[in-house]
Amino acid sequence: VAPSVAVAPKPVAPPAAAAPPPTTTAAPPPAAAPARPRLSGPAPAGWAGSFEQRAGKRWMIWGGVGVLFLAAGFFVKYAIDNEWIGPTGRIVLGIAAGAAMLVAGDLSVRRRMRPLGQGLMGGGMGILYVSLFAGLSLYDLYPREAAFGLMVLVTAAGTTLAILHDAPAVSILALLGGLATPVMVSRGEDARDALFTYLLLLDLGVLAVMVLKQWRALDVIAFLGTMALYGGWWLEFYEGGDGLGPALAWLAAFFAVFL
């Protein structure tokens, strides 16, 4: 029997101590920027605020445009009474002033001065219509067809500017001028087909604008204006007989457009 030999146990190394977690130092919060002082008081709320916006930004500007229009008219009248300028010069001056106001209005809207720009464009169209009408009716400087075509161009230009700048007020003024054009160039003659063709084209233009912008006021004004001009023609020139069929056909065409 072999003698038993005692085996001494091997020494066990103590477990390594866990490394302490890295210490993180929290960054101090950024210093708050000092509050900037308010240069004006809080904007009024409710109906008072909306009234202030309308009175300050729209009514005052349109009133100023109206005063400018009257001042220009009185100045031109004074110049005419004193024979400073002749008929041709008067009309050229009026057309140039109206075109300049249209350009200034377009630039004002592009520079984010919408109320001022819309007022200038509206005043410019009014001056152009009056100048063209005066050149035809007062001085007979050009034929009626030329005056009619120029007024149509003014209406188209005003409508285009209204669509580009999203300005329904300008489109309403252009439409009113377009409806007044046949009255301004009329010589008291029965021009049924020419008048109704023009009205039909004008109403189709309003329909196109309605598809793009959904300005319901244009639809109402165009309908009322068309019916007023049609009724005026009916009372003044309609004599019955063979003219009943064409008259009803034109009326049906107008109702089809608005339907």
Side-chain angles (χ1 to χ4, degrees), residues 115-205:
L116 175 61
Q118 293 182 18
L120 289 173
M121 286 187 286
M125 284 191 298
I127 292 176
L128 287 173
Y129 281 124
V130 171
S131 299
L132 293 173
F133 172 71
L136 174 67
S137 299
L138 298 182
Y139 307 120
D140 201 15
L141 296 178
Y142 31 74
R144 182 177 59 175
E145 292 77 10
F148 181 80
L150 291 173
M151 290 182 182
V152 170
L153 288 179
V154 173
T155 302
T159 304
T160 302
L161 290 174
I163 294 174
L164 290 177
H165 299 305
D166 196 19
V170 177
S171 67
I172 291 175
L173 290 175
L175 176 58
L176 291 175
L179 291 171
T181 294
V183 179
M184 291 189 288
V185 302
S186 174
R187 293 287 178 86
E189 303 171 354
D190 184 7
R192 180 195 63 194
D193 294 336
L195 171 63
F196 293 161
T197 300
Y198 168 76
L199 283 178
L200 186 63
L201 294 176
L202 183 65
D203 293 336
L204 289 174

Side-chain angles (χ1 to χ4, degrees), residues 67-251:
V67 171
L68 178 63
F69 179 76
L70 292 176
F74 282 120
F75 172 76
V76 172
K77 182 180 183 303
Y78 184 79
I80 293 173
D81 293 339
N82 289 272
E83 298 182 356
W84 291 355
I85 51 178
T88 304
R90 300 165 196 171
I91 301 305
V92 171
L93 181 62
I95 294 175
M101 289 183 67
L102 282 181
V103 175
D106 178 69
L107 294 177
S108 298
V109 174
R110 293 180 185 276
R111 295 176 181 177
R112 302 184 183 279
M113 294 183 288
R114 288 183 57 82
L116 175 61
Q118 293 182 18
L120 289 173
M121 286 187 286
M125 284 191 298
I127 292 176
L128 287 173
Y129 281 124
V130 171
S131 299
L132 293 173
F133 172 71
L136 174 67
S137 299
L138 298 182
Y139 307 120
D140 201 15
L141 296 178
Y142 31 74
R144 182 177 59 175
E145 292 77 10
F148 181 80
L150 291 173
M151 290 182 182
V152 170
L153 288 179
V154 173
T155 302
T159 304
T160 302
L161 290 174
I163 294 174
L164 290 177
H165 299 305
D166 196 19
V170 177
S171 67
I172 291 175
L173 290 175
L175 176 58
L176 291 175
L179 291 171
T181 294
V183 179
M184 291 189 288
V185 302
S186 174
R187 293 287 178 86
E189 303 171 354
D190 184 7
R192 180 195 63 194
D193 294 336
L195 171 63
F196 293 161
T197 300
Y198 168 76
L199 283 178
L200 186 63
L201 294 176
L202 183 65
D203 293 336
L204 289 174
V206 171
L207 177 62
V209 176
M210 286 290 300
V211 172
L212 294 174
K213 292 296 184 179
Q214 298 294 319
W215 292 334
R216 296 297 303 172
L218 291 181
D219 192 12
V220 176
I221 295 173
F223 179 79
L224 295 177
T226 300
M227 293 300 101
L229 291 174
Y230 185 91
W233 170 85
W234 182 281
L235 295 175
E236 184 70 20
F237 297 108
Y238 178 71
E239 297 178 353
D242 296 336
L244 178 61
L248 292 180
W250 280 113
L251 189 62

